[in-house]
């Protein structure tokens, strides 16, 4: 069974409640129908019921009736949600009138449903920007305890079983924080290891903090940042298996790891890679994807107290379908 199939199987084993706030969007609704047909998650769709039902009929979608459908313009709990949102944001000066308007926004309403324990996660982005997806999540659900930095992980499924976890690597940050400081980088390390457990199913995440230097082979302030981030990551999670600074070959290739970092438990054995900045991470995963013919799954947002994931506006039905399963796995882990 491949990694994607394993993720889907885990989602099916403990169904979570996932909000799709862009239910009037064709790809989203088609993916929702497939999720419901395959019994992967319980779905909450937010959209105009007339439009949703019309689109479902036009597309021949037979399973949408299994979902809970919420009309944001006529939701019976709107006033309750508005009052709570106003309370949550009163220090930022939010008025009740502003809150009432915001809870009519499906992205805000979905996050409020999660906040009030009515759902376990949310996916948007087929129509919305990353900023629009993240803003209500950070304002309402907020970051996980001990975390102040949201980041994005990517699953890289390669054809090189000798590397990572039988050819699978989890890497971050590839999507959110452009230039993390040492504290933020340490949080990215902890969160990416957690994603490796909850989504990729790694029993033993081994984290390499990447740099252009291995154990003092070069000196520079950006190397110092990685060294400090490694120290902070160990403090943040004393159970974390992490080492750095390591070059990519020292992190992945056993023979190189032994030469460059003798005595390291991570060198040559890493299955989680943490990039020193977003620029490096984004470029690196795209090169591996294109030149190495790897499958890249993600980005998977991490660091939020309950999973809220962001799609590309160019996403496919398959992308949405798989991200529902991924979000469900994250939601299971968030409840532990």
């Amino acid at each position: 069974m491949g990694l994607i199939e394993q993720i889907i199987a885990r989602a099916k084993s403990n169904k979570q409640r996932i909000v799709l706030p862009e239910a009037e969007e064709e790809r989203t609704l088609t993916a929702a129908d497939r999720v419901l047909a395959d019994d992967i998650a319980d779905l909450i769709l937010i959209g105009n019921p007339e439009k949703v039902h019309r689109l479902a009929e036009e597309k021949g979608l037979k399973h949408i009736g299994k979902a809970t459908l919420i009309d944001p313009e006529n939701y019976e709990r709107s006033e309750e949600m508005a009052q709570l949102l106003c309370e949550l944001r009163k220090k930022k000066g939010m008025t009740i009138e502003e809150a009432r308007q915001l809870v009519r926004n499906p992205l805000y309403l979905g996050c409020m449903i999660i906040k009030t324990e009515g759902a376990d996660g949310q996916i948007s982005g087929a129509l919305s920007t990353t900023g629009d997806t993240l803003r209500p999540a950070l304002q309402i659900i907020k970051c996980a305890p001990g975390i102040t930095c949201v980041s994005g992980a990517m699953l890289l499924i390669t054809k090189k079983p000798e590397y990572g976890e039988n050819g699978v690597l989890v890497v971050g940050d590839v999507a959110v924080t452009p230039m993390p400081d040492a504290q933020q980088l340490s949080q990215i390390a902890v969160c990416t290891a957690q994603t490796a457990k909850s989504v990729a199913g790694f029993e033993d995440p081994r984290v390499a903090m990447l740099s252009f230097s291995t154990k003092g082979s070069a000196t520079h302030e950006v190397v110092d940042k990685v060294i400090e981030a490694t120290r902070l990551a160990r403090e943040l999670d004393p159970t974390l298996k992490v080492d750095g600074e390591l070059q990519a070959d020292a992190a992945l290739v056993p023979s190189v790891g032994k030469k460059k970092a003798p005595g390291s438990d991570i060198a040559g054995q890493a299955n989680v890679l943490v990039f020193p900045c977003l620029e490096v991470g984004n470029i690196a995963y795209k090169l591996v994807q294109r030149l190495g013919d790897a499958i890249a799954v993600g980005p998977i947002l991490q660091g939020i107290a309950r999973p809220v994931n962001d799609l590309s506006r160019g996403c496919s039905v398959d992308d949405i379908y798989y991200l529902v399963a991924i979000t469900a796995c994250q939601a299971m882990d968030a409840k532990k």
Side-chain angles (χ1 to χ4, degrees), residues 5-19:
E5 289 76 19
Q6 292 173 31
I7 291 169
I8 291 170
R10 282 202 301 277
K12 286 183 177 182
S13 72
N14 184 0
K15 284 201 303 179
Q16 302 294 297
R17 302 161 299 171
I18 307 300
V19 182

Side-chain angles (χ1 to χ4, degrees), residues 96-229:
I96 186 59
E97 290 77 14
E98 290 170 334
R100 285 170 179 151
Q101 186 65 30
L102 280 176
V103 297
R104 296 168 65 187
N105 178 324
L107 275 65
Y108 272 85
L109 179 55
C111 287
M112 289 302 301
I113 292 170
I114 294 170
K115 183 71 174 180
T116 55
E117 305 293 336
D120 304 305
Q122 176 166 292
I123 298 167
S124 60
L127 293 174
S128 310
T129 66
T130 298
D132 287 341
T133 292
L134 278 176
R135 194 172 302 110
L138 294 177
Q139 291 179 0
I140 296 167
I141 302 171
K142 305 186 185 302
C143 288
I147 302 297
T148 60
C149 172
V150 175
S151 56
M154 188 72 68
L155 309 183
L156 289 178
I157 306 170
T158 79
K159 297 178 180 178
K160 297 285 187 176
E162 64 269 31
Y163 299 133
E165 198 75 9
N166 196 31
V168 178
L169 293 159
V170 183
V171 302
D173 175 18
V174 299
V176 182
T177 304
M179 194 61 67
D181 59 25
Q183 184 68 56
Q184 291 172 320
L185 197 59
S186 71
Q187 295 177 18
I188 291 169
V190 170
C191 289
T192 307
Q194 194 58 48
T195 296
K197 285 182 180 179
S198 64
V199 178
F202 289 7
E203 293 183 4
D204 185 31
R206 300 178 297 276
V207 182
M209 308 293 283
L210 297 185
S211 177
F212 63 83
S213 169
T214 296
K215 297 299 181 178
S217 65
T219 57
H220 192 277
E221 60 185 22
V222 297
V223 177
D224 294 340
K225 179 183 79 170
V226 175
I227 295 170
E228 176 67 2

Side-chain angles (χ1 to χ4, degrees), residues 276-295:
C277 65
L278 177 57
E279 183 176 38
V280 172
N282 193 270
I283 292 169
Y285 99 75
K286 289 180 184 292
L287 285 174
V288 172
Q289 179 185 26
R290 300 299 178 179
L291 299 182
D293 198 23
I295 297 171

Side-chain angles (χ1 to χ4, degrees), residues 40-76:
I40 290 174
D42 293 324
L43 296 184
I44 299 170
L45 307 179
I46 301 180
N48 179 278
E50 184 179 339
K51 291 181 180 178
V52 170
H53 288 309
R54 185 190 312 124
L55 181 58
E57 186 175 350
E58 290 173 357
K59 303 297 292 183
L61 306 179
K62 305 297 185 182
H63 303 278
I64 295 301
K66 297 179 182 179
T68 299
L69 180 55
I70 291 175
D71 181 355
E73 297 293 336
N74 296 286
Y75 184 40
E76 63 270 17

